[in-house]
Amino acid sequence: MKVYITDCDHDSVDIEKKVFADAGMEVTLCNAKSEDEVIDQCGDGEIFIVQYAKITKKVMDAIPSLKYVVRYGVGVDTIDLLEATKHGIQVGNVPDYGMNEVADHAIALLLSLKRKIIMMNDNTKNNKWDYQKSIPIHRFSKQTVGVVGLGRIGRNFASKAHALGFNIMGYDPYFKKSEEFNYIDSVSLEKLIENSDAISLHIPSDGNIGLFSYETFKKMKDSAVIINVARGGIINENDLDKALINGEIAGAGIDCMENEPVPSDNKLFSRDNLIVTPHMAWYSEEAASELKRKVAEEAVRFSNGEKIHYPINKLENTPV
Ligand SMILES: NC(=O)c1ccc[n+]([C@@H]2O[C@H](COP(=O)([O-])OP(=O)(O)OC[C@H]3O[C@@H](n4cnc5c(N)ncnc54)[C@H](O)[C@@H]3O)[C@@H](O)[C@H]2O)c1
C-alpha cells in the first residue's frame, strides 16, 4: 500500500523507515498540514501517518484511495471521524507510548506544588534564604490526592502518588475496583472535589470541556492544588485565573491549555502559584522512539490486513 507521513516535526523518520523497510514497504515523508497541501502532496495515498495535518471531508473526497489514517499520539481531533466512517476510512492512534511519562510529569507538578519548590527557588534566589516563606507544608501521608479519570494514565499516576504516601481518592464512572487498586477510595466527583488536597485530571476533553469552572474551584479546599496534564479546555482558564487570584485554590500545575501554542503574555503565566509546561508531559527520548515505532507498526499491520491494535472508529468489513 502507498504510505505517506503527511507531516512530522521530529528530527528524523529513520525509525518509521526501518519498520517499513523490514516489512518490505516504503514510506514517503511530506510537509503537508493544510487540506490543500495534503491533497497536492499525498493525493494517491492509501495510508496516512499524520501529526498535525487536517484530514477533513474535503481531503477524503479528493483522495478516494485513502483507507487508513493513524495519528502520532492519542488525540485524533484533527481528523473528521464521522466523515472517515462514512468514507470507509479506518482511523487509529497510538495511546500507550508515554503513559509513564505523563504520570511522572503529573507527579513532578504535584511534588513541585506540594513542596513549593518553584516558589521557594524564586524566593531564595531573588529575595531571602528563609524557609518560613514556605509555611505551611504538610506531610504527604496527611493529604489526599483526587484522581479524576482512572484509565491508563490515571491509574499509573495513582499508583505512583500512593507509593509516595498520599491517600488516594478516585472518580471514574467506569472504574472497577480490583486487588491492585484497593487503595483507591472510589467516590463521587463532588466528594473528590471537596475533600482533595490535590486534584489531578486524566480524562479526555471530549465531553469534559469546562468541567472545572469557578464554581468547582470554590468547592475545592483553599489549600488544594489542581494539575492538568490531560487536555486544554477541561479547565476554564479565565475561571482558574480568578480562582488563583481570589485564593479559592492554592495553586495549579498545567501542561495543557486551550489554544496551544500559548503566547508568553498569557495572564495565567504571571501568577506565582501557577506552574506551566508546554504540553511536554508525554515526552522522553524513549517515549518518542516508542511512538514512532508503534505508529509505523500499526500501518504495516493494516497494510497486511491484520488486526490493528488501536482502532478509533468502527467500520464494517475491517479486521478490528
Ligand atoms: N500531556 C500530554 O502530553 C498527554 C499525553 C498523552 C495523553 N494525554 C491525555 O491524558 C488523558 C488520559 O489519557 P489515558 O490514556 O489515560 O486515557 P484513557 O482513555 O485510558 O482513560 C481516560 C479515562 O477517563 C474516564 N473519564 C472520561 N470522562 C470522565 C469524567 N468526566 N470523570 C471521570 N472520569 C472520566 C474514562 O472512563 C477513562 O477511564 C487524555 O486526555 C489524553 O489526551 C496527555
Side-chain angles (χ1 to χ4, degrees), residues 73-77 93-99 101-103 105 147-156 170-175 189 201-208 211-212 228-232 234 255-256 260 277-283:
V74 184
V76 288
D77 32 325
N93 66 349
V94 179
D96 61 351
Y97 65 100
M99 291 177 320
E101 282 77 4
V102 181
H105 201 81
V147 187
V148 181
L150 291 161
R152 280 175 289 256
I153 297 170
R155 290 197 304 268
N156 189 312
Y171 170 69
D172 187 324
Y174 294 101
F175 178 64
L189 184 59
L201 305 179
H202 301 282
I203 54 180
S205 56
D206 196 16
N208 291 318
L211 186 68
F212 277 72
N228 183 12
V229 295
R231 276 291 178 267
I234 299 171
D255 185 57
C256 301
E260 300 173 3
T277 53
H279 203 141
M280 58 172 281
W282 64 275
Y283 168 71

Side-chain angles (χ1 to χ4, degrees), residues 16 24 26 48 55 70 91 146 178 185 199 224 246 252 264 290 305-306:
E16 294 87 324
E26 282 183 13
F48 284 176
I55 310 299
V70 56
V91 177
S178 65
D185 185 10
I199 294 179
N246 294 348
S264 54
E290 190 175 329
E306 293 165 23

Side-chain angles (χ1 to χ4, degrees), residues 141-161:
S141 61
K142 297 287 174 208
Q143 295 180 72
T144 295
V145 173
V147 187
V148 181
L150 291 161
R152 280 175 289 256
I153 297 170
R155 290 197 304 268
N156 189 312
F157 168 81
S159 68
K160 287 169 174 164

Side-chain angles (χ1 to χ4, degrees), residues 43-46 58-67 87-89:
D44 59 347
E46 294 172 278
K58 179 176 169 182
V59 172
M60 296 175 205
D61 284 344
I63 310 180
S65 54
L66 188 59
K67 296 185 178 62
H87 283 72
I89 297 169

Side-chain angles (χ1 to χ4, degrees), residues 1-7 20 25-30 38 41-50 55 63-71 89-92 294-306 308:
M1 279 187 166
K2 184 88 185 158
V3 187
Y4 286 105
I5 298 174
T6 54
D7 62 309
F20 285 110
M25 293 172 67
E26 282 183 13
V27 59
T28 307
L29 174 63
C30 302
V38 175
Q41 296 177 34
C42 319
D44 59 347
E46 294 172 278
I47 295 179
F48 284 176
I49 298 177
V50 301
I55 310 299
I63 310 180
S65 54
L66 188 59
K67 296 185 178 62
Y68 177 47
V69 181
V70 56
R71 166 108 217 289
I89 297 169
Q90 180 67 58
V91 177
K294 283 186 166 172
V295 87
E297 286 172 351
E298 277 290 82
V300 169
R301 268 191 284 274
F302 186 86
S303 176
N304 290 340
E306 293 165 23
I308 57 167

